Amino acid sequence: MQASLKSKPKPTTVFSSSPKISYQTLSRPTLPLPSPGKTHLPSSSSSSQWFSLLRQAISSSNLHLGKSIHARILTSSEYPDRFLINNLITMYARCSSLLYARRVFDKMPDRNLISWNSILAAYAHSGEYDVESVKEGFCLFRLLRESVVLTSRLTLRPVLKLTLASGFVWASEAVHGYAVKIGLDWDVFFSGSLVNIYSKFGKIREARVLFDGMPERDVVLWNVMLQAFVEMGFEAETFHLFSNFHRSGLRPDDVSVRCVLSGISYVGSEVGKKHREQVQAYAIKLFLYDDISNVVLLNKMLTEYLQVGDNCGVVECFANMIRSNVEYDSVTLAVVLTAVAGINNLKLGEQIHSMALKSGFNSAVSVGNSLISMYSKMGYIWFSKKVFSGMKELDLISWNSMISSCSHSGLERESVNLFVDLLFHGLRPDHFTLASVLKACSSLTEGLYLSKQIHAHVTKAGNAADCFVSTALLDNYSRSGKMAEAQCLFENKEEIDLATWNAMMSGYISSNDSHKALKLFTLMHMSGERSDEKTLTTAVKACGCLSGLEQGKQIHAHVIKSGFDSDLYVSSGILDMYVKCGDMLDAHLVFNDISEPDDVAWTTMICGCVENGDEERALSTYHRMRLSGVQPDEYTFPILVKASSCLTALEQGRQIHANVIKLDCASDPFVGTSLIDMYAKCGNIEDAYQLFERMDANNIGLWNAILVGLAQHGNGEEALKLFKVMKTHGIAPDRVTFIGVLSACSHSGLVSEAYEYFHSMHEKYGIEPELEHYAYLVDALGRAGRTQQAEELIATMPFEASASMYRALLGACWVQGNTETGKRLAERLLALEPSDSAAYVLLSNIYAAANQWDDVSDARSTMKRKYVKKDPGFSWIDVKNTLHLFVVDDKSHPQTDLIYDEVEDLMKRIKEEGYIPDTDFVLLDVEEEEK
């Protein structure tokens, strides 16, 4: 705002001294002249002529007409008098143009009390929507007190309005003190306004003292006091005040009766019922009851049922109203629509919507807002949008409901567009609006940019200190990884609530800085803030990310001490922490203590078993999950399929596939990818390919799974053909795709093609080759007998060669009979893994193939001297629910007896713990033939 005053009042010195305004001469403001043909104005001026036209502009709030009159006044030969200038200020104030009102006031050569009252009234009117206007209004009143002009009750009227808009009780008390000083403390108008202000600020005691001391009280003032008691829930005091009102000689009107009846409860209260009957009897006696009708009482009853959560009771009462032909109003429909949303009955909601249309109450803003809310809560956002677009009148609640509905329904972009429309219509958003649109921004790709714009708007509008808004901004910055901005907001908050602590901790975890999340949790605990379930779950999640088992156990102990261990949300978080830390024993204990695990808890437990190499227990847990009645979902199935893949348990995988189809999860790309991978790893590439053909071919994961599967089964040429088909579908390959392609080239002996695909990764697709891609290229060279070229490739790699790479090339040297290269590679392999038995065995085989038996003997002697032992291989097959386990029985092998003991212990544990209770195990000895 451009004004001559730039000073802003401090909260404790609203009326302190300040330099006086410099009076300037009235100059011509830059205003548009009236358009031809729109308004006929006289060419000459007189105060009476201009006054009549100004009053017309004031009454119609016609800013264009008012500006035109002002322009003609300035161009006229006569200088405007003070009376006319005061009316110009009033005109601009009524037309909501505070800027022009202030400019006219600042340039007045001579001001009187009416001038000051007019500009104060302008600021009071604007203060309902702008905090800065309230501050500037206080500045003007302070300057008025320092001038020679004496104030009156009409001066204090806008000042009281400013104090109410400011929200500061001390401002009202300061004005009260000033009124006492100038002798207006018992003025009926002034005292009545103060009673109203104190009541709205919740200062009932101060309002009552002032009310009781007033020499004159009218009906309006009694009603203000009654309403204050009702809003504070003082039922007995409300009834007694109504009795005093009746005995005062004044007659309570229908507003008084409505107010008292709305404040007297009659659901389960005998005293309230008695009071209600007495007020009703009084209303009937004075012929007031017919005016308010039964609808007020019924609305009160419906509201009380709604407040206690009895939505069905609301609907039943409303149905009885309709059957009894009792009239209803917009309040009735708004309450019933809220109840219908609570019971999620769309058909009933549509019927009530039809009643609203038929009765014409659909034009009421409250009914429209309730319809928007009802349809949104039921998930019918399209109906909400239709109601919103059809409403003739919209208030801020309407916009808030629609913005929030779109935000929660996945229509984030539309929510932001609605917010822009709200600003375009000149409405001032509140903290609910801003919190909803910020939530929508957090889900958009350009959300950070939008959040910064909203942040600027919030700062300009003076809402940055609001707890809801600042927390939403902090959450948005932390979700976007802008922890410096989030930290700045966090440190500048005057009061940090629990939601802010939680948002900040979650932000640190999302930014891979779990250490700071735990430090923040410690700081919060030391500050005395009490944790809730979200805080504790976030803290244990941080421990899981850091694999901090000891810290996790401490938080677990705190959870038990705080009584949150029975909370499913917290227990699932603790379970996940133990799983990520690899402590499956405690994980099982936590899981067994959960009385009714949900699908998340079951999935976490199954995932923990798989990730920690206990696939049999994962499948057993799944069996228990099905027996408990909890159904798996698209997150559970990929983990179960992975367990079957690790065990190469084809039949188990088929059963899981059947459940996938039964529960309608077959179309999920993640589930489909895991199933294709399972069939391929279990040796059934035909079923894997058939499943791939039935899936949606637009998902890169599905293509990768089948490509890798075909390559592993030696179908390299078919995998490469499929890769070309994939490119014709417009699907861009990723790093996993090229692992399958290079593997296919390796198994098919296509060395030149392997090089071509390897170089195309970066040149065509911008994918940097990783160690695994180099490994398959080395393997392709080794299989083709080009061991020297493979060794040169290893030397030029930007990575350190892995043991598996050397091992694969060492095997190629054995096949090719390349003793020198094999010896050199074996030394490098043993340098990486000194206890690798495969290196000694392969080196021994290379020497044996070259008839270097002394070197064979030396290799085996070195192996024994370094206590490197080769574990005998074993395999199994599942035939008619019987698992047959085959173990190589090498009598000369020092670990044969140990292997037998381990296998027998394994079978015993499986039978005792009931992993697969319907499976028998048979151990077969196979004599290894001497070669």
Side-chain angles (χ1 to χ4, degrees), residues 534-825:
K534 181 171 178 57
T535 317
L536 297 170
T537 306
T538 306
V540 295
K541 183 179 180 180
C543 295
C545 294
L546 296 171
S547 297
L549 183 59
E550 290 303 317
Q551 292 170 306
K553 287 184 175 182
Q554 291 177 6
I555 297 175
H556 188 186
H558 177 68
V559 166
I560 296 172
K561 185 178 179 181
S562 303
F564 283 104
D565 53 320
S566 59
D567 186 274
L568 180 60
Y569 183 59
V570 178
S571 298
S572 298
I574 295 172
L575 174 63
D576 183 64
M577 180 271 297
Y578 281 122
V579 165
K580 288 181 178 177
C581 293
D583 188 353
M584 292 306 296
L585 179 61
D586 283 333
H588 283 293
L589 293 174
V590 171
F591 181 76
N592 292 332
D593 286 339
I594 300 176
S595 57
E596 294 183 4
D598 61 354
D599 56 339
V600 176
W602 282 105
T603 302
T604 302
M605 194 67 228
I606 293 170
C607 181
C609 293
V610 173
E611 294 299 326
N612 287 276
D614 199 351
E615 291 84 7
E616 294 94 344
R617 186 180 285 251
L619 295 175
S620 174
T621 305
Y622 169 61
H623 181 66
R624 289 167 52 199
M625 175 183 178
R626 295 299 305 275
L627 291 176
S628 69
V630 178
Q631 298 289 355
D633 56 13
E634 62 273 13
Y635 300 101
T636 317
F637 281 125
I639 302 169
L640 294 167
V641 173
K642 182 180 178 181
S644 301
S645 300
C646 294
L647 295 172
T648 60
L650 182 59
E651 286 305 315
Q652 288 280 358
R654 289 185 187 277
Q655 292 176 13
I656 294 170
H657 189 182
N659 287 331
V660 166
I661 297 172
K662 184 178 179 181
L663 296 177
D664 196 24
C665 293
S667 61
D668 186 86
F670 295 102
V671 177
T673 302
S674 62
L675 284 169
I676 292 172
D677 182 68
M678 181 271 297
Y679 280 121
K681 287 182 177 178
C682 291
N684 197 333
I685 193 64
E686 294 82 7
D687 284 353
Y689 197 84
Q690 289 178 7
L691 179 60
F692 168 76
E693 289 181 327
R694 293 196 298 268
M695 297 291 292
D696 183 8
N698 292 323
N699 185 273
I700 184 64
L702 296 171
W703 289 92
N704 290 344
I706 193 63
L707 281 172
V708 174
L710 287 170
Q712 290 175 344
H713 283 77
N715 301 324
E717 293 183 1
E718 190 173 351
L720 295 178
K721 289 179 182 178
L722 197 64
F723 176 66
K724 294 178 180 178
V725 173
M726 185 190 87
K727 290 193 294 183
T728 60
H729 281 74
I731 299 175
D734 59 9
R735 54 172 296 277
V736 181
T737 313
F738 281 102
I739 289 175
V741 170
L742 293 173
S743 175
C745 293
S746 173
H747 286 84
S748 302
L750 304 173
V751 179
S752 60
E753 287 83 352
Y755 265 107
E756 182 181 346
Y757 286 121
F758 182 84
H759 290 302
S760 70
M761 288 178 61
H762 177 72
E763 294 174 359
K764 290 185 178 181
Y765 304 102
I767 302 172
E768 292 294 333
E770 298 178 4
L771 181 61
E772 198 167 358
H773 299 104
Y774 279 96
Y776 278 108
L777 187 57
V778 168
D779 185 60
L781 291 169
R783 288 173 183 266
R786 298 156 69 170
T787 54
Q788 184 177 357
Q789 190 177 350
E791 191 176 8
E792 292 174 357
L793 178 63
I794 291 176
T796 59
M797 285 193 317
F799 309 100
E800 290 291 334
S802 63
S804 61
M805 192 179 295
Y806 283 125
R807 200 177 293 118
L809 198 54
L810 192 59
C813 291
W814 173 36
V815 174
Q816 300 295 327
N818 192 338
T819 306
E820 293 302 321
T821 304
K823 184 178 180 180
R824 191 165 55 251
L825 292 171

Side-chain angles (χ1 to χ4, degrees), residues 891-909:
K891 300 301 182 182
S892 64
H893 198 287
Q895 278 202 306
T896 301
D897 294 336
L898 179 61
I899 292 296
Y900 274 111
D901 293 340
E902 289 179 353
V903 172
E904 288 177 355
D905 290 342
L906 178 63
M907 289 192 300
K908 183 178 180 182
R909 194 182 70 156

Side-chain angles (χ1 to χ4, degrees), residues 69-120:
I69 298 167
H70 191 181
R72 288 296 180 89
I73 292 173
L74 295 173
T75 57
S76 65
S77 58
E78 295 184 7
Y79 194 82
D81 57 18
R82 188 169 57 188
F83 173 77
L84 200 57
I85 297 175
N86 288 340
N87 278 276
L88 279 171
I89 296 173
T90 303
M91 180 274 295
Y92 281 125
R94 293 289 178 87
C95 295
S96 301
S97 182
L98 182 61
L99 177 63
Y100 286 116
R102 181 60 185 269
R103 284 180 179 177
V104 172
F105 176 80
D106 286 343
K107 294 183 179 296
M108 286 184 70
D110 183 24
R111 302 183 181 96
N112 61 4
L113 184 59
I114 297 175
S115 310
W116 287 96
N117 291 349
S118 299
I119 193 63
L120 284 172

Side-chain angles (χ1 to χ4, degrees), residues 166 195 363 394 458 483 507 519 523 527 559 623 792 826:
S166 71
V195 169
S363 59
L394 298 170
V458 164
M483 292 308 299
K519 287 181 181 179
L523 182 63
S527 69
V559 166
H623 181 66
E792 292 174 357

